[in-house]
Amino acid sequence: MSTLSDLVYAQGRSTGADIEWLHRLAGDGQLLADLAFADIVIWVPTVDDSFIAVAHTRPSGAATLFYRDIVGDMVRPQWRTQVRDAFTRVEIVDSASPDWFEETPTRVRAVPIVRAAGAGEKSPMVVGVLTRHTNLGEARTPSRQQITFNDCADDLFGMIASADFPDLAAPTSPRRGAPRASDGLIRIDVDGTTTFASPNALSAFNRLGFDDELEGESLLEVATGILPKGRDFDESLPIVMAGRAPWRADLEARGVTVSLRTIPLKDHGTRIGAIVLCRDVTEIRHQEQELITKDATIREIHHRVKNNLQTVASLLRIQSRRTHSDEARDALTHAMRRVAAIAVVHDTLSEGLAQNVDFDDVFDRVLKLVAEVAASPNTRARTRKTGTFGTLPSEYATPLALALTELVTNAVEHGLVDQEGEVEIIAERTEDRLGVKVRDTGVGLPEGQVGRGLGTQIVRTLIQGELSGTIDWHTLVGSGTEVTIEIPMRYLGRTQS
């Protein structure tokens, strides 16, 4: 399915600022649909003087009119004139009589979507039309809550037509558990006094410790009375409770956490009150805190493992320096380097929350370590990495780092022994595979004759056994050796950088 951005860009009549405005409005589509008890559709103009639907939200507390997705459809002839009038006259246009849609009586309201003037613009811009489609087939006597919700929706529609909503100063990407209209709605006047509180909103405040009625009370004073004495609280809370800014905050008391979102209501730029949405998110916040604690514990474990491995590497280095046997010294040096390479992976994991690692960062650090340790006094090796490995799960980062450590070490110690040359590591990442080539400009090896030492055995075990990949050694034309590794992506996961 095409995204809102794709559909708007395809019409060739909108700017980046228009799309951002439409995105923010579509993000509040569910709020508008729930307040209006109606389907909400956003239309943008096309080059052939028509309109195309780029977003649609169904109400959660009422029957929808559109059982099939209409995003991407052109405006129907029965709505075209009304939508065009709202767009060209820049005013809200209501249907004169009930409109029949698939044998269901409906009422349609068309609201021009006006974007606030940006830099270099002298006046607001009309960027589309929002339509509200109310199902009249289930008409019944509205409750006080439904009347208030509809009044709030009408206020927001007026703000949409005067470029006062959405407010780009409001935070985006709400935390998990952001309040919705059905979770609890409080309406306050310009002085911050509650004029309406839904039953769910009143229940949320009752759980916080407020036992009276909210209506007629200053919401800010109510919150002040609830907050435990001497405890720190969200600095934005007073502004949110007074309805002065489109911000969010949490109110905590008696072990209960209520998430709040304020939407100031305006009439042609003049503040007339506010909507305060509230939701009991106690369990959600507890889960978030548990995840944070677990993530911190995992990071600390990786940090301690890294420290322990670095200690082991240091002990191996000290032992190698005190060993008189060249063969034993080489074995200890190789072991030290392998342990250090594993420590680099754990060090990277200790720095982030995810159990995936940026392998390019890991390998750059490993490559520097290998080049320093493997080079001898008579060998001058230059290492170079091209391409991108991307992001890999931690369980694959360690074996791949170890395997590449062995291959680069072999290229320096054996391919470039007592000479100057280059080792190049080429990474190619696609959706289906990860390909790596380790190429040196050294003496090469007879075709088909691969070493049988411990390093080669380790590489085979890691690539073929743990990563289910393939590995091949061959001599380049002229000189040098090239090792090719192929690892299927189904074993590495689908995440890429």
Side-chain angles (χ1 to χ4, degrees), residues 119-419:
E121 296 176 334
K122 297 181 179 179
S123 60
M125 307 290 292
V126 185
V127 298
V129 175
L130 178 148
T131 52
R132 181 193 69 183
H133 302 260
T134 305
N135 187 340
L136 300 179
E138 297 184 349
R140 59 183 184 273
T141 303
S143 64
R144 181 167 177 251
Q145 175 170 309
Q146 185 171 350
I147 293 172
T148 302
F149 275 31
N150 281 326
D151 289 343
C152 292
D154 290 341
D155 288 333
L156 291 177
F157 291 147
M159 292 168 62
I160 292 171
S162 60
D164 289 321
F165 189 82
D167 192 330
L168 297 187
T172 58
S173 302
R175 297 173 65 184
R176 191 165 63 100
R180 302 158 299 190
S182 58
D183 296 318
L185 181 143
I186 300 171
R187 176 149 185 168
I188 58 178
D189 61 20
V190 70
D191 296 320
T193 301
T194 303
T195 59
F196 173 82
S198 71
N200 286 343
L202 183 59
S203 295
F205 274 79
N206 289 161
R207 287 190 289 273
L208 287 168
F210 181 73
D211 298 326
D212 205 346
E213 293 293 329
L214 282 173
E215 293 186 21
E217 299 287 342
S218 166
L219 197 58
L220 179 56
E221 292 179 2
V222 169
T224 303
I226 290 174
L227 289 171
K229 304 300 181 184
R231 182 182 297 181
D232 293 336
F233 59 89
D234 193 330
E235 294 180 356
S236 63
L237 187 60
I239 299 177
V240 170
M241 301 302 284
R244 295 183 178 277
W247 293 352
R248 297 188 173 111
D250 282 352
L251 182 59
E252 300 181 33
R254 300 174 61 178
V256 176
T257 303
V258 173
S259 178
L260 304 168
R261 179 194 175 187
T262 292
I263 304 173
L265 298 177
K266 299 178 181 179
D267 183 5
H268 294 87
T270 302
R271 190 168 64 87
I272 59 174
I275 299 170
V276 180
L277 303 176
C278 54
R279 179 180 182 182
D280 187 339
V281 293
T282 305
E283 186 61 31
I284 293 175
R285 294 293 181 263
H286 284 168
Q287 293 173 358
E288 291 175 349
Q289 188 59 47
E290 288 177 0
L291 288 174
I292 292 173
T293 302
K294 289 179 180 179
D295 287 334
T297 301
I298 291 172
R299 291 201 308 273
E300 179 62 21
I301 290 173
H302 282 302
H303 181 71
R304 294 188 182 188
V305 170
K306 181 263 297 184
N307 288 343
N308 291 337
L309 290 173
Q310 288 181 336
T311 300
V312 172
S314 298
L315 293 174
L316 292 171
R317 184 184 297 109
I318 293 172
Q319 187 64 44
S320 68
R321 291 173 178 173
R322 295 187 177 185
T323 301
H324 300 294
S325 168
D326 291 340
E327 183 178 354
R329 184 182 299 109
D330 289 342
L332 290 169
T333 301
H334 284 299
M336 180 272 294
R337 186 185 60 251
R338 291 161 186 153
V339 171
I342 300 175
V344 169
V345 177
H346 283 281
D347 187 32
T348 303
L349 289 169
S350 70
E351 296 173 354
L353 293 176
Q355 290 302 296
N356 294 327
V357 297
D358 180 354
F359 194 78
D360 292 284
D361 177 59
V362 170
F363 187 65
D364 287 342
R365 296 167 64 183
V366 170
L367 192 58
K368 182 178 179 180
L369 173 69
V370 172
E372 292 175 353
V373 175
S376 63
N378 298 324
T379 302
R380 298 184 61 186
R382 300 182 304 275
T383 56
R384 178 163 60 99
K385 178 178 76 72
T386 58
T388 301
F389 288 95
T391 302
L392 300 180
S394 59
E395 59 266 32
Y396 299 107
T398 298
L400 185 59
L402 276 175
L404 294 179
T405 296
E406 294 297 329
L407 292 175
V408 175
T409 300
N410 287 340
V412 175
E413 291 185 343
H414 303 296
L416 301 176
V417 62
D418 295 331
Q419 64 176 329

Side-chain angles (χ1 to χ4, degrees), residues 44-59:
V44 296
T46 64
V47 293
D48 57 355
D49 197 31
S50 185
F51 292 84
I52 185 172
V54 297
H56 170 221
T57 308
R58 296 176 174 88

Side-chain angles (χ1 to χ4, degrees), residues 458-481:
I458 290 175
V459 171
R460 287 189 185 279
T461 300
L462 294 171
I463 298 300
Q464 297 175 349
E466 296 197 27
L467 298 178
S468 300
T470 61
I471 184 167
D472 178 57
W473 283 264
H474 58 274
T475 301
L476 296 173
V477 177
S479 65
T481 301

